[in-house]
Amino acid sequence: MKNVGHLLGYRESIRVLDATIRDGGLVNDFFFTDDFVKKLYQTNIASGVDYMEIGYRASKKVFDESKFGKWKFSSDDDIRSIVGENDTNLKIAIMADIGRHDKEDFDLKSNSPVDCVRVATYIHQLPEAIDMINDAHNKGYETTCNIMAISQTQENDLKCALDMIGQTPVDTIYIVDSFGSIYPEEMARVCELYGEFAEKYHKKLGIHAHNNQQLAFANTIEACGDGVDFLDATYYSMGRGAGNCAMELLLGFLKNPKYKEYPVFKLIEEEMVDLKAKSPAWGYDIPYLMTGLLNQHPRTAIKFIKENRKDYCEYYNDLLN
Amino acid sequence: MKNVGHLLGYRESIRVLDATIRDGGLVNDFFFTDDFVKKLYQTNIASGVDYMEIGYRASKKVFDESKFGKWKFSSDDDIRSIVGENDTNLKIAIMADIGRHDKEDFDLKSNSPVDCVRVATYIHQLPEAIDMINDAHNKGYETTCNIMAISQTQENDLKCALDMIGQTPVDTIYIVDSFGSIYPEEMARVCELYGEFAEKYHKKLGIHAHNNQQLAFANTIEACGDGVDFLDATYYSMGRGAGNCAMELLLGFLKNPKYKEYPVFKLIEEEMVDLKAKSPAWGYDIPYLMTGLLNQHPRTAIKFIKENRKDYCEYYNDLLN
C-alpha cells in the first residue's frame, strides 16, 4: 500500500513548490505584472505552500533582456521588490538552466533573498550541473538537481547520473517528466529507482510533472505515495504546453492542515481565469496528448496551437514520420 | 507490479466501451444528429472499440419524449436505423436506469440489435436492479450491473450488494466513480474489494470514471492494472459534468493492435471540436474539481457553469455549508 499516510493522515516531510512564474513564464515570456507576482506570493503564504519558484536566473549573455520579462533573470533586487526580506515560512527558489546560466550571477546566500537554487539539466550536461550545484551549495543555498527528459534517457545512463548527483552536496533530486509521457505505473518504477540512490546518498526526492496525458496530478500523487516529498505544482496548471500539476488539485489531496484551498480558488477567480484568457494557450489539448503519447518534446504542439490549426490527423501523421 | 501486460504487451481480455452517446447525452439531452451517431458507430468499428453504448432505454412513462433526443429511449428501430443488423465485431449496449426504465420495453435479444443491457442502480435500488438483470439475462442479453455513487456508500453495504449481485447471472460488475472523487490509490483498494467478489462468483469487472479531479484516465488505467477488464471511455471526454475517461487517451495507452488511434483523432477533428463548441459545457473545470473533492453530486456545478458564474469562492463556501 502507498505510503501517503492512509489518505486521511499526512506526511510531515512533504513540501509543495509553486512553479507558476518559472514554468508559466515559458508561456508568456515571463511578462507578469508586479501586482500579479505579489499577489501570487501572498497567496502562496496564505495557502501554506512551502516554496515559490519565482523564475529562472538566466544569463544575460545568452538571452536578450529586452525580449523577456524580468523573471527570466530574477535578479536579487527584483525578487526583493516583491518579497522584501521575505520574513515568512515560504522559501524562494530560482532555477539555473544549465548551459544558459552564469555562476557569477549568483551572490552569496547571505546577500540574497533566494533560499533554494534548482539546477535543471539534461543528462549530457551533468558535469556542468554538478559544478553549479557545488557552487550554489558553497554559497550557502539549498539546492535541487532536476534531470530533464528522463523518458528519453537510457536507464543505465540515468543510474550513472543518479550516482554522480548522489555524491554532490545537493539536497533534493527531482524526477522530471518533461514530455508528460510517463504513466503512473511507470512512475512507480522511476520512484523506486530514484529511491535507491536517495537512500544510499541521503537525499530527498521531488517530482515535476506535465499534463500532456492528463496525468500530471495522478503522477504527482503516485510519486508522493512512493516516498517523493517535494511536489511541484502551478496555479491553474499554468506551464509550458500542457502545463503542470494543478495547485488546486494537489492542495485538495494533501491533508496537512497547513495547506489551504480557499486562497488558491481566490487567486484563480481573481487572476488566473483572466490571465489564461489573455495569454498564449496552455493546458491539456489534443496536440499535447500526441507528443506525450509519442514521447516527444512539445515544441511542435505549441507551434500547432499558436497557429490555430485544427488538422489533428495531419499533425499526428507528421509526428509519426 | 500491475498486471497490465508490462505496458508494452496487452491483455486479451480487455474490452473498451464507448459511452459517448449515453453519458454525453446527459450534456445535450440526447440531441445528436443521425449523421453524428452513424459516424461515431463507424469510428468505433474502425478504432477497434468493443462496445458502443448507444443510449438509455428510458421509460416513456417517466420521461416526456418531446423533451429529449431519441437516444434517451434508444428503441430497437432507432438503433437499427444506425447499425442495421450490425454485422460487425462491435457490440451494441444500452442502459437501463433503475426506477426510470420499463422491463416491457426490452424485447427478446433474438428480435433486437442490442447485445448488452447495462443496469445502472443506486445501492438502495438493488432488488429492482436484480430483477432487471434477471429479466434481461432471460431474454438473452449480456448484462452488466453498474452500482453508482459508491464513494458515498458504506463498505459493508457495498460488500452486501456485491454478494447479492454475484448471485445473479450478470456478466460484468462495474465500478462507477460517479462523483470523480476517488483517487488512484483508493481505486486500487476498490478493485481489490470488487475483485474478491468477481473471483468468488466468476464475474468480470468494469470501470466507469469521471474526470472531476483529472483522474478519469488515471483511475481507468489503475483499474486496468488491477485486473478490471471493461473500460468505459468517451470521445473527447464527452459526458456529464467533468466528463469521462477520454477515448483518445485510453486507446493510446492500450497496446492491443486492434485498437487504432487515428480514427479517434479523425472524429475529434471532424466532429467533436465543433460539437463541444455548440453544446452546453462539459469537461474538467474548477466547480467540478470542487464537487469531486467534496464527494458531492455534480449537479450544482453543472448549474454554476450553465449560469456562466465565475465566483468560485462563493460557490465553494456554499458547497461547504
Side-chain angles (χ1 to χ4, degrees):
Chain A
M1 201 49 68
K2 302 286 178 201
N3 174 30
V4 72
H6 327 294
L7 288 171
L8 295 181
Y10 63 91
R11 200 164 75 223
E12 280 286 356
S13 54
I14 289 172
R15 298 287 179 273
V16 173
L17 182 142
D18 162 38
T20 306
I21 301 295
R22 205 273 308 159
D23 210 321
L26 296 169
V27 172
N28 67 357
D29 291 336
F30 304 89
F31 287 113
F32 295 98
T33 66
D34 282 2
D35 281 349
F36 176 80
V37 180
K38 274 180 198 164
K39 201 160 170 178
L40 179 62
Y41 170 70
Q42 293 297 344
T43 300
N44 279 325
I45 293 167
S47 61
V49 166
D50 301 285
Y51 289 76
M52 174 173 177
E53 190 179 41
I54 204 161
Y56 284 97
R57 184 163 289 170
S59 169
K60 292 174 186 173
K61 296 173 192 158
V62 179
F63 293 100
D64 179 349
E65 244 188 307
S66 70
K67 292 192 175 146
F68 297 95
K70 61 176 100 161
W71 307 109
K72 179 88 175 174
F73 307 98
S74 310
S75 72
D76 284 343
D77 285 346
D78 283 335
I79 296 172
R80 273 208 189 82
S81 76
I82 303 294
V83 311
E85 291 308 316
N86 185 35
D87 186 21
T88 73
N89 289 325
L90 176 68
K91 291 187 179 181
I92 302 299
I94 54 173
M95 182 164 273
D97 195 11
I98 292 304
R100 300 189 279 186
H101 73 299
D102 193 335
K103 273 193 296 187
E104 289 162 23
D105 291 337
F106 293 77
D107 199 348
L108 293 175
K109 158 71 192 123
S110 51
N111 300 327
S112 168
V114 171
D115 299 285
C116 175
V117 174
R118 309 217 304 166
V119 178
T121 180
Y122 288 107
I123 198 158
H124 66 275
Q125 302 165 313
L126 211 52
E128 194 180 349
I130 289 171
D131 188 42
M132 181 63 208
I133 290 165
N134 285 321
D135 184 70
H137 174 77
N138 291 337
K139 285 173 177 163
Y141 296 100
E142 183 182 335
T143 57
T144 78
C145 184
N146 303 25
I147 316 171
M148 298 182 289
I150 55 168
S151 57
Q152 289 188 344
T153 302
Q154 300 292 328
E155 185 167 317
N156 274 335
D157 292 343
L158 193 55
K159 282 182 182 170
C160 178
L162 290 170
D163 204 59
M164 289 167 73
I165 297 166
Q167 295 174 53
T168 72
V170 80
D171 296 287
T172 306
I173 305 173
Y174 259 80
I175 299 163
V176 185
D177 180 18
S178 302
F179 303 154
S181 66
I182 296 179
Y183 294 109
E185 68 170 285
E186 290 178 286
M187 184 54 75
R189 290 171 215 169
V190 173
C191 291
E192 201 182 330
L193 176 65
Y194 277 63
E196 287 169 25
F197 289 89
E199 197 177 340
K200 180 175 176 189
Y201 292 110
H202 307 289
K203 305 299 186 189
K204 288 168 283 190
L205 292 178
I207 168 84
H208 180 85
H210 277 275
N211 207 31
N212 296 62
Q213 297 193 81
Q214 289 192 9
L215 292 172
F217 175 48
N219 277 327
T220 301
I221 63 180
E222 170 65 45
C224 175
D226 296 332
V228 170
D229 276 333
F230 278 61
L231 312 177
D232 282 14
T234 65
Y235 288 79
Y236 221 44
S237 286
M238 186 178 193
R240 176 152 65 183
N244 299 97
C245 172
M247 184 67 77
E248 54 275 21
L249 289 167
L250 184 60
L251 293 196
F253 173 78
L254 296 173
K255 295 293 177 283
N256 188 328
K258 77 174 177 179
Y259 297 125
K260 311 286 184 199
E261 275 281 73
Y262 191 86
V264 180
F265 292 137
K266 199 152 184 286
L267 189 81
I268 290 172
E269 178 178 324
E270 295 179 359
E271 300 291 337
M272 298 309 298
V273 172
D274 208 41
L275 183 62
K276 186 162 186 176
K278 290 190 297 199
S279 303
W282 79 76
Y284 171 80
D285 202 348
I286 298 293
Y288 298 127
L289 178 172
M290 292 172 172
T291 58
L293 187 60
L294 300 173
N295 192 17
Q296 297 185 12
H297 194 287
R299 69 174 70 83
T300 59
I302 293 170
K303 183 165 177 284
F304 179 94
I305 286 173
K306 270 199 179 156
E307 291 170 355
N308 270 315
R309 285 173 58 184
K310 297 286 177 199
D311 53 331
Y312 299 130
C313 291
E314 180 75 16
Y315 174 67
Y316 189 60
N317 279 336
D318 285 348
L319 288 178
L320 291 173
N321 281 340
Chain B
M1 201 51 66
K2 303 285 178 201
N3 174 31
V4 71
H6 327 295
L7 288 171
L8 295 181
Y10 63 90
R11 199 163 74 222
E12 280 285 358
S13 54
I14 288 172
R15 298 288 179 271
V16 173
L17 182 142
D18 163 37
T20 306
I21 300 295
R22 204 274 307 159
D23 211 321
L26 296 170
V27 172
N28 67 357
D29 292 336
F30 305 88
F31 287 113
F32 296 98
T33 65
D34 283 1
D35 281 349
F36 175 80
V37 180
K38 274 180 197 163
K39 202 160 171 179
L40 179 62
Y41 170 71
Q42 294 297 344
T43 300
N44 279 325
I45 294 167
S47 60
V49 166
D50 301 285
Y51 289 76
M52 174 174 177
E53 189 178 42
I54 205 161
Y56 283 97
R57 184 162 289 170
S59 169
K60 293 174 185 173
K61 296 172 192 158
V62 179
F63 294 100
D64 179 349
E65 243 187 309
S66 70
K67 292 191 174 146
F68 296 94
K70 62 177 99 160
W71 307 108
K72 178 88 176 175
F73 309 99
S74 309
S75 73
D76 284 344
D77 284 347
D78 283 335
I79 296 172
R80 273 207 190 84
S81 76
I82 303 294
V83 311
E85 290 309 315
N86 185 36
D87 186 20
T88 74
N89 289 324
L90 176 68
K91 291 187 177 180
I92 302 299
I94 54 173
M95 182 165 272
D97 195 9
I98 292 304
R100 301 188 279 187
H101 73 298
D102 193 335
K103 274 193 297 186
E104 289 163 24
D105 291 336
F106 294 76
D107 200 346
L108 292 175
K109 158 69 193 124
S110 51
N111 299 328
S112 169
V114 171
D115 299 283
C116 175
V117 175
R118 308 215 306 166
V119 178
T121 180
Y122 288 106
I123 198 156
H124 66 273
Q125 303 166 313
L126 211 53
E128 195 179 349
I130 289 171
D131 188 43
M132 181 64 208
I133 290 165
N134 284 322
D135 184 71
H137 174 78
N138 291 337
K139 285 172 176 163
Y141 296 100
E142 182 183 336
T143 55
T144 78
C145 184
N146 303 24
I147 316 171
M148 299 182 287
I150 55 167
S151 57
Q152 288 188 344
T153 302
Q154 300 293 327
E155 185 168 317
N156 273 336
D157 292 344
L158 193 55
K159 283 181 182 169
C160 177
L162 291 170
D163 203 60
M164 289 167 73
I165 297 165
Q167 294 172 55
T168 72
V170 80
D171 297 287
T172 306
I173 306 173
Y174 258 79
I175 299 164
V176 185
D177 180 17
S178 302
F179 303 153
S181 66
I182 296 178
Y183 295 109
E185 68 169 286
E186 289 179 287
M187 185 55 75
R189 290 172 215 169
V190 172
C191 291
E192 202 182 330
L193 177 66
Y194 276 63
E196 287 169 25
F197 291 89
E199 198 177 338
K200 179 175 177 188
Y201 292 110
H202 307 289
K203 304 299 185 189
K204 287 167 284 189
L205 292 179
I207 168 82
H208 181 85
H210 278 274
N211 207 31
N212 297 61
Q213 298 193 80
Q214 288 193 10
L215 292 172
F217 175 49
N219 277 327
T220 300
I221 62 180
E222 169 66 46
C224 175
D226 297 331
V228 169
D229 276 334
F230 279 61
L231 312 177
D232 282 15
T234 65
Y235 288 79
Y236 220 44
S237 286
M238 186 176 192
R240 177 152 64 183
N244 299 97
C245 172
M247 184 66 79
E248 54 275 22
L249 288 167
L250 184 60
L251 293 196
F253 174 79
L254 296 173
K255 295 294 177 284
N256 188 328
K258 78 175 176 179
Y259 297 126
K260 312 285 185 200
E261 275 281 74
Y262 191 87
V264 180
F265 292 137
K266 197 152 186 286
L267 190 81
I268 290 172
E269 177 178 325
E270 295 179 359
E271 299 291 337
M272 298 308 297
V273 172
D274 207 40
L275 183 62
K276 186 162 185 175
K278 289 189 297 199
S279 303
W282 80 76
Y284 171 78
D285 202 347
I286 298 293
Y288 298 126
L289 180 173
M290 291 173 173
T291 59
L293 187 60
L294 299 174
N295 192 16
Q296 296 185 12
H297 194 285
R299 67 174 70 82
T300 59
I302 293 170
K303 183 165 177 284
F304 179 95
I305 286 173
K306 269 198 181 158
E307 292 170 355
N308 270 315
R309 285 173 59 183
K310 297 286 176 198
D311 53 331
Y312 299 130
C313 290
E314 180 75 17
Y315 173 66
Y316 189 60
N317 279 336
D318 285 347
L319 288 178
L320 291 173
N321 280 339

